[in-house]
Each structure stands twice: as C-alpha cells, then as structure tokens.
Amino acid sequence: MNGFFDIPSDLDNTWLGLIGLHLREALLPVLAGLLAALPLAQLCVRFRWLYPPVLGVTTVFYAIPSLAVFVVLIDYTGQTELTVMIPLAVYSLVVLVPAIVDGVRSVPEETLAASTAMGFGPLRRYLQVQLPIAVPAILAGLRVAVASSISLVSVGALIGNQGALGNLLADAQKYGRPELAVNSVLTTAALAILCDAVLVLARNLLTPWMPRGRRQRPKEAAARPEPQEASAR
C-alpha cells in the first residue's frame, strides 16, 4: 500500500480531489441526458412513429468511439471537461430514452382515463401521473447510465489529463507505479457501486408501494394452508 494515495504532482489534485472531479464529469452528463430524455421520450410516446428513428439515431451515436468524438470536439471546446462530458451526455440517451418510454407506456389506460376525467391536461398528466408510475423504469435506466458514465470518464485521460481517476492509469505507466493503476480501478469500481446503491435507495424511497422481494419464511409458508385446502374448509 506504500504510495497508494501518493498522487503525482502533475495531476494538480489529491485523491479526494480526483474523486470529486470524476463524479462531476460522470454525473453531470447523466443529469443533462435525463433532462433531454424526458421531453424526448414524451414525444416518442405521443407520436409512436418518432420512437424508432430517435432510438436509431441515439444508437448510432453510442456506437461512435468516444476518442473519435473527442478529436472532433477539441477544435471547439479544447482540452476541457466539457469535451469529455458532451459525448457522455449523448451516450446516456440510448439508455434513458427507452427506459422512460417503456415506463410511461406501462401506465394503465384506466389510470390515464381517470386522470383525464379529473381534468388533467397532457403536461400535468405526464408530470403527476405517468412519470411517478414510471419511476422504477427510469431509475433502472439511470443505474445503467451512471455506471457506464463512471467507467467512460477515464478515457478523458487521453486528452490532457481530463480523465479524473483515469489519469492515474496514464501516470502508473509513466512513472512505473502499478499501485496507481490499482488505485484507479478500485476507486472507480467503488464509486460505481456506491452510486448504484444510492439509486436503489432512492427507488425504495420514491416507490414505497413496490414489493421489496422479501422471501416468505419457511414457518409462515408451512403454516399457511394451500388454496385447495382453504377452499375445502
């Protein structure tokens, strides 16, 4: 563990500073992607013919290597955090748009009819009825998008030390210090697990009506009569 937290001076950051930088570069693009995906998904729900081309375009963007996008953006945004965050925001759309569309489409027609009968307009119905019911699907998409974004930030190390914790990988090779690479991998994995746990907690708090998957205790199951026995009694 000697030198594990000894960050080279050329990174101009401490270990905690790199963690904060990594979270900023990973989470802000996902937030921007979510803000863009919400109205885009609603359009796809309202106009079903729009969904296939939107999904196709986002998939094509996702297939473009991030390094190629960096090369194009550097001429406009320079070697900055913005160059890293723009493609990450676009990549998140390929996960978030289908998640929101599927969640909104899962709302029962009876619920939509009831909200319309209560005088809800399209926007109010979307914000107060459809989105709350779609929360589990949206958070499932966010979990994938956040984990993907946290891992992809490290690629920014290729454009002027903009990879946060990924910069440690380059310095590990530069200075012959493998412990820096171990630090980068373990810390990045820990951040992904921690963020995922926070999103799971948020899902549990926002959807108290959903079952938590608690298994039935054997004694309770044995004491409970079978449906056939219950009907016979």
Side-chain angles (χ1 to χ4, degrees):
M1 296 294 291
N2 186 29
F4 189 82
F5 299 106
D6 183 14
I7 306 302
S9 59
D10 64 335
L11 297 184
D12 298 323
N13 248 313
T14 63
W15 180 65
L16 292 178
L18 289 176
I19 290 177
L21 178 62
H22 201 100
L23 288 175
R24 182 169 73 242
E25 291 187 1
L27 299 184
L28 286 180
V30 175
L31 177 60
L34 179 62
L35 294 177
L38 286 172
L40 187 59
Q42 175 61 7
L43 288 175
C44 292
V45 171
R46 190 181 181 101
F47 307 103
R48 290 182 175 268
W49 59 268
L50 189 60
Y51 184 46
V54 167
L55 188 59
V57 170
T58 56
T59 303
V60 168
F61 276 122
Y62 191 80
I64 300 175
S66 56
L67 185 57
V69 181
F70 293 161
V71 171
V72 174
L73 289 177
I74 281 178
D75 290 338
Y76 304 96
T77 56
Q79 295 181 349
T80 63
E81 293 180 30
L82 189 60
T83 303
V84 178
M85 292 191 288
I86 289 175
L88 294 183
V90 175
Y91 291 160
S92 68
L93 293 178
V94 77
V95 177
L96 295 176
V97 171
I100 298 173
V101 169
D102 291 342
V104 171
R105 284 180 176 175
S106 68
V107 178
E109 291 295 333
E110 297 81 1
T111 303
L112 296 177
S115 62
T116 302
M118 293 173 63
F120 283 36
L123 180 59
R124 186 182 176 191
R125 184 172 62 241
Y126 180 59
L127 295 177
Q128 297 186 12
V129 178
Q130 293 173 295
L131 283 184
I133 295 177
V135 162
I138 295 173
L139 286 176
L142 277 174
R143 291 175 65 186
V144 176
V146 166
S148 175
S149 186
I150 288 175
S151 67
L152 288 174
V153 165
S154 297
V155 182
L158 299 174
I159 56 165
N161 286 338
Q162 295 300 328
L165 290 169
N167 297 337
L168 294 176
L169 297 173
D171 275 10
Q173 183 177 14
K174 180 179 179 181
Y175 298 112
R177 295 179 54 189
E179 68 274 10
L180 294 179
V182 176
N183 185 330
S184 175
V185 172
L186 292 182
T187 307
T188 302
L191 288 181
I193 294 171
L194 179 62
C195 289
D196 187 72
V198 170
L199 289 173
V200 171
L201 177 62
R203 181 196 64 191
N204 293 342
L205 293 176
L206 293 173
T207 58
W209 64 86
M210 289 188 64
R212 299 295 172 232
R214 183 178 68 88
R215 292 187 177 181
Q216 193 179 45
R217 296 180 181 179
K219 290 183 179 180
E220 293 176 351
R224 184 172 297 174
E226 294 295 328
Q228 294 83 356
E229 296 176 357
S231 60
R233 293 178 185 178

